[in-house]
Amino acid sequence: MSAEQQRLKANSGKKVALEQWGPYLADRQWGTVREDYSENGDAWNYFPFSHAHSRAYRWGEDGIGGISDFFQNLCFSVALWNGKDPILKERLFGLGNYEGNHGEDVKELYYYLDNLPTHYYMQMLYKYPQNEFPYEELQEKNRSRTKLETEYELLDTGAFKNNEYFDVFITYAKHNKRDIAIKIEVVNRGTKEAPVTVVPTLWFYNRWQYGGVDKKPQISRVNDYTVKAKHERLGTYYMYYQKSDLQLFTENETNNEKLFKKPNVTPYVKDAFHDAIIHKKNTDALRKLDKGTKFAPVYSCKLKGGERKTFHLRLSEALTDDPFGHGQEHIFAQRKAEADEFYKAVLPANISEELRKVQRQALAGLLWSKQYYHFDIERWLSQSDGISPNQERQTGRNHDWQHLKNQDIILMPDKWEYPWYAAWDLAFHCIPMAMIDPNYAKHQLVLIMREWYMKPDGQLPAYEWNFSDVNPPVHAWAALQVYHIEKKQTGKGDIAFLKRIFQKLLINFTWWINRKDPNGNNIFEGGFLGLDNIGVFNRSIQLHGQMELEQADGTSWMGMYALNLMDMAIEIAMHDISFEDTATKFFEHFVLIAEALNELGMWDEEDKFFYDMLVTPGAQPLRLKIQSIVGLTPLFAVSVIERNVLRRLDDFTKRITWFENYRLKNNKFWPNEERAGGEKILLSLIPKEKLVALMERLLNETEFLSTGGIRALSKYHEQHPYTVTIDETDYSIQYDPGDSTSNFFGGNSNWRGPVWMPINYLIIQAIKRYGEFYEDHLTMEYPTGSGKRYTLTEIADELTQRVISLFEKDAEGKRKLHGEYNWFYQQPGNEHLILFYEYFHGDTGSGLGANHQTGWTALVAELLNETAEQHRVVPTVIDNPAPAK
């Protein structure tokens, strides 16, 4: 057992298996709903980037490559200055929603290179231009571009011309849980000498401004290389640093005078370091201070072309006279070796070295995406930030979520673009997390369903922009995925986890039944369901008059949900027979949903496809003939039950046999399929002939199949746009493989043609289940029209390879995901750097949207695992016989 596995095992015995120190600092706190106390709910303009340097946050902190304790009392990150910028580079720059031609977008180059689940070793890389950072150019160019044009990126500006930039490696290695070695390495990638100022910064999150602590914490000078940070909750820590010419103290307080023309509470405020280092303002006064709530030693130097300079620091609860004398470099080498040992043990050996680097960076990015998230809706609504009145917010955004009181370490989709959890994103994040830290993965799934998250009526919070939006109910499916991944690793399934989450899922399932099936006919609504602009209009809006949108995907997600709960109940029933009845209950509910989906008009026999239906009382339902993943979601609801399971559950078997006979006798729909003499039973939302029809479209390169996976919208709509007229208004949709050209949900993501990782993962897993049942009894053309036939298991493997190909180098050393920027990633030192984008161009495979979406895009790591394991199958496997009845 590796050293990291031993640490994880020790942590698993704790109530919360969480390290006190980790990468819990957000990449962006400004522009979030949490910090928005405006009258009109305009978060981006209420707290813009230009305020972030001077204004103390209310609900958290941010920084570059930073760390904090798990309550974010004390924070550390790295600030930089190239001698030319108008501000210190303390945080990552990006465009707010109204500034980018495709919505918000970070405009920096940074990479999460390595991390361990316990964060005993972490490394990230930030690339900092030596010339003035093009803040205004990026704003102006993107502001002037239309939705039909691509985004203007940092690599388009010339900021990296002639390699005139610094590589800044930020590395952490823990001596122990509360003793952290810090190394900052700056490398001049150019050929000319260039100045750089490195400002490692330690500060306290400002809780005192709103009475969050009884006593204001303090950082105070001990000597020329040590400061003491004292906090009533955290205790005392010491930060050791190599002697510098300048050490600065100030307070983490808002510069009210600068921003709001009001008196400051102290002459030393949050942005004092900017003035002191850049403008040489108040430098002597700050130099004389010996305490504050923000501190930094300042290192200014010039690096020759190719030169590297290293700065060491240490953050520890122990007081020592010799912080760097023994083992500072050794601890980095030791922890790096432990990281190598850990990943060698948990990752497959039979993949290429290049793909192993992809896998490890994906998991590193996932681990770096942990963030301290603090949001108390009741306090947010009832209190002011002292800047803006709060009357309008009483009945505004999220006012009906006052029970929500979040203060946890959560996996974020992207700590800059999405520095807030999203319910269905989190479910996908937990799957690759289970590969390396199953306890934390299980914790996250249970957490989102705890009483301080889930609404009393059973609804899960979607995301902070609108907690009441509805995300697909994938959490039962994700829980089973996590359960089976851990079971495969350890040989033992965590039944206690399944029982615990099953209870929560029952409440949420009931909410769906009561709230999203208004007619009681097992046809479900749901709104946008996480798919933003997948429809011709915003599916979350109230339609005209008495119109209702009956959703093929909403209904399919619920069929999948019922089937997942049945699978979960069966698994538990093998150890606790009292769950047998619930297995029967969800089986029968699944049958009724399958009947509704197949027989109440959503299937178009001519097109051989499922569509949403627009229903108006007294009129014929209107099928919205959009060939998108909405019509493919019925594929996801599939399960294979081993016959030996049925032999152990007498009552379940007796009931479903009776139910089958009754329905067939009365000519009712039945989703069950068996092969003569077979030991497996297939439960599927769709019968075999519809499966084949959908697969023919799915595997058609002129429709859904792209070089990088399955598109969200069929390429058919490139030549055949779809338009529908409702109340004299025309709504249209066409194939749009790249950035979004619509303004739905801010226009910052696109489901009208690109390849999305979570949907591809769901499709691949579903096809594997079908393949497990049909084996070589069902083959299909792949691609459609090629004349080459494969089993469904082989097709799942081929689709997996297409998705993986987005990340692989080709013969010229290029990766599809880097698109037009491959020139940069082919330069020495950049060859192994990978970004994990939110989604990928439907034709070229180039990365789009958020570029650090190593939440669900980290699923590629699990796909690589499955490829290495060669046809891994996850049936309902039972280790122990059922207890006696």
Side-chain angles (χ1 to χ4, degrees), residues 77-81 88 184 197-201 248 273 277 296-299:
S77 73
V78 178
L80 302 159
W81 187 50
L88 282 182
I184 306 165
T197 299
V198 179
V199 190
T201 308
L248 301 177
F273 295 173
I277 295 170
V298 181
Y299 303 94

Side-chain angles (χ1 to χ4, degrees), residues 40 61 97 144 186 246 262 330 438 609 633 687 704 794 866:
N40 60 355
E61 295 289 337
N97 187 260
S144 65
V186 184
L246 186 63
K262 296 179 180 180
H330 170 74
F609 207 76
T633 50
F704 286 99
E794 290 169 335
E866 294 177 10

Side-chain angles (χ1 to χ4, degrees), residues 71 73 204-218 230-234 379:
F71 280 115
N73 296 300
F204 283 112
Y205 166 27
N206 189 341
R207 279 190 167 92
W208 58 90
Q209 62 183 325
Y210 302 107
V213 290
D214 295 330
K215 186 177 181 180
K216 185 177 178 179
Q218 187 177 91
K230 189 173 183 180
H231 190 281
E232 65 182 45
R233 296 180 183 174
L234 182 65
R379 285 170 55 193

Side-chain angles (χ1 to χ4, degrees), residues 837-880:
Y837 288 90
E838 185 179 6
Y839 53 98
F840 303 87
H841 195 284
D843 292 336
T844 67
S846 59
L848 297 165
N851 56 25
H852 284 78
Q853 193 93 347
T854 34
W856 61 23
T857 300
L859 286 164
V860 69
E862 173 59 14
L863 288 177
L864 283 165
N865 248 18
E866 294 177 10
T867 298
E869 291 166 8
Q870 296 183 0
H871 314 320
R872 185 181 74 156
V873 178
V874 189
T876 305
V877 178
I878 307 303
D879 295 326
N880 303 312

Side-chain angles (χ1 to χ4, degrees), residues 113 123-127 167-171 183-187 189 308 829 833:
L113 301 181
Q123 186 177 60
M124 69 91 68
L125 167 63
Y126 174 70
K127 290 182 176 287
D167 268 350
V168 183
F169 294 90
I170 304 170
T171 312
K183 180 165 64 173
I184 306 165
E185 298 172 276
V186 184
V187 184
R189 289 300 186 194
R308 177 188 299 256
L833 299 179

Side-chain angles (χ1 to χ4, degrees), residues 698-715:
L698 182 81
L699 303 178
N700 192 323
E701 292 179 312
T702 65
E703 296 187 44
F704 286 99
L705 183 62
S706 81
T707 59
I710 302 302
R711 302 176 173 107
L713 184 76
S714 173
K715 195 176 174 69

